[in-house]
Amino acid sequence: MSVLFKGGTVVTATGRYGADVFAEGDKIKAIGTDLDNPADEVVDAKGKYILPGAIDPHTHISMPFMGTYAQDDYESGTKAAACGGVTCVVDFDLQQKGETLLEALERKKALAEGKACVDYSLHPAIMDPRPEVIEEVKKACLEYGTPSFKIFMVYDFRVDDATMIRLLEETKKHGGLVQVHAENVHIINHMNGVLEKEGKLEPYYHAMSRPNIAEQEAIYRASKMVELTGSRLYIVHLSSKEGLWVIKEARDRGVNLYAETCPQYLLLDDDRYKEPDWNGAKYVMSPPLRTKESNQALWEGLRGGDIQVMATDHCPFDFKGIKDMFGKDDYKKIPNGAAGIETLAMLMHSEGVVKGRISLERMVDVLSTGTARMFGLRDKGEIAVGKDADIVVLDPNQKFTITQSKLHMNVDYTPFEGVEITGMPSAVYVRGKKSARWNGHQMEFVGEVGRGRFIKREPFEPI
Ligand code: URP
Ligand code: ZN
Ligand code: ZN
């Protein structure tokens, strides 16, 4: 299969230029002017952008959590990804008690086998940090192709600070990257107790129970551990301006501290928890939505480089039958999480680029090129000869109103209902195969279920 994209504007993390792009098999084979390579398909890309597919490095596909499961499986989740211009996901793989990291990886790969519609990789999430598991980090970096490791400072499956230090020391030796969900569990437990006594159990109090300082303190503590060890650390789903201040201060002194944020922390604020009819439960996620000041600060962090990656934290639970059934009487029981994999790129273009908050090039960096570099996806993230032909042809003028019925995620609502989008993909290619297209009204999946491959990733240089 070969495709010739004619007359589009190729966008990279550092610039843009008019060119034709020729893809053959899985790869981009040529970029130039007036290319006339014979091709099975010729795409008229005049007036359109040729972008690298987005990479979502924070998804929870089929993850067991809070007494239920995140609802998208590999088929529904990655179909939705393709329809949103996401051509690769790096999904969390939660180790179970007694498992090795390899066993956990094989278990999760089996869920993806025959179902993934875009390429995928996995981050082992360390929940049972036995000495032999910490020793296995070397193999995960150098053999398994999974050199990033998630730990949680909250939830029942959190690890302690001593484990974080051991993991930072081990990853430093082998070029690994520790990723952390940073919130202070003791602050949260204390606030839960106070709110419970006062009978404050509606969804709004979820946000009250997890104040900005809970994130700030945990990021500060984690930042000191990475400073101590001289390793690398990545903060997932950064939500607060106070957390960003800590990251910026550490980075300014040369600490290897990185951060991602998600569209919900840029675009939604804690007023959402006050929506009537218990609607606030739709936004129960951890960390919670913050104020508009934090939204603004995170845009600045993204623009200025203190935040390097955009992700979604895609973790969908139905509003009716799951969020309400589990937590109607107590916000603490509402499964934490929301859907986002399909709306990531459209929101970043429309709310970010069109509204002048970030440049098109910065968008490419935080959605694709920088993400590929951060997570060792050598063949992805860039429109360049030799890279995988993961290509989004974006029509910057195409309008779309986000509404759940026109999306593909397996969930009954979207937190972004009603947002007017400017700029939608005309077509999305995963390693050279057309996988989604604009059908005049909405995106449509036209790819092949099961074609997505497990991608082995590369570690950083050891420090
Ligand atoms: O609320 C969230 N974020 N749910 C998914 C699990 C996590 O903490 O990332
Ligand atoms: Zn988290
Ligand atoms: Zn998450």
Side-chain angles (χ1 to χ4, degrees), residues 25-40:
D26 289 350
K27 296 288 179 187
I28 297 174
K29 288 285 174 64
I31 302 177
T33 44
D34 300 326
L35 294 185
D36 57 3
N37 306 50
D40 299 316

Side-chain angles (χ1 to χ4, degrees), residues 259-391:
E260 76 178 20
T261 191
C262 313
Q264 55 270 33
Y265 300 119
L266 294 170
L267 298 170
L268 306 179
D269 63 67
D270 56 4
D271 280 348
R272 298 278 173 153
Y273 294 112
K274 298 179 190 155
E275 287 181 4
D277 301 325
W278 209 70
N279 237 27
K282 290 181 176 172
Y283 313 98
V284 168
M285 59 185 75
S286 294
L289 302 177
R290 309 295 189 183
T291 61
K292 291 187 178 58
E293 288 74 45
S294 281
N295 298 158
Q296 180 61 26
L298 295 180
W299 277 115
E300 280 160 21
L302 197 64
R303 205 166 39 237
D306 285 315
I307 300 171
Q308 300 79 33
V309 171
M310 283 303 301
T312 64
D313 195 8
H314 180 72
C315 191
F317 301 104
D318 277 344
F319 178 58
K320 290 203 186 329
I322 299 292
K323 291 233 181 208
D324 61 356
M325 195 181 82
F326 281 67
K328 194 80 196 180
D329 304 319
D330 184 353
Y331 68 81
K332 294 188 284 304
K333 297 188 184 135
I334 301 170
N336 286 198
I341 201 166
E342 194 167 353
T343 45
L344 169 70
M346 62 180 87
L347 286 167
M348 292 313 292
H349 180 263
S350 191
E351 291 290 321
V353 177
V354 176
K355 294 198 172 164
R357 289 160 160 153
I358 54 170
S359 68
L360 187 60
E361 288 78 5
R362 184 75 188 135
M363 181 190 87
V364 166
D365 203 11
V366 299
L367 285 179
S368 307
T369 313
T371 316
R373 200 169 44 236
M374 184 72 74
F375 292 105
L377 288 158
R378 191 194 52 199
D379 292 344
K380 301 210 174 276
E382 211 181 331
I383 302 294
V385 171
K387 295 282 178 182
D388 284 352
D390 291 344
I391 294 176

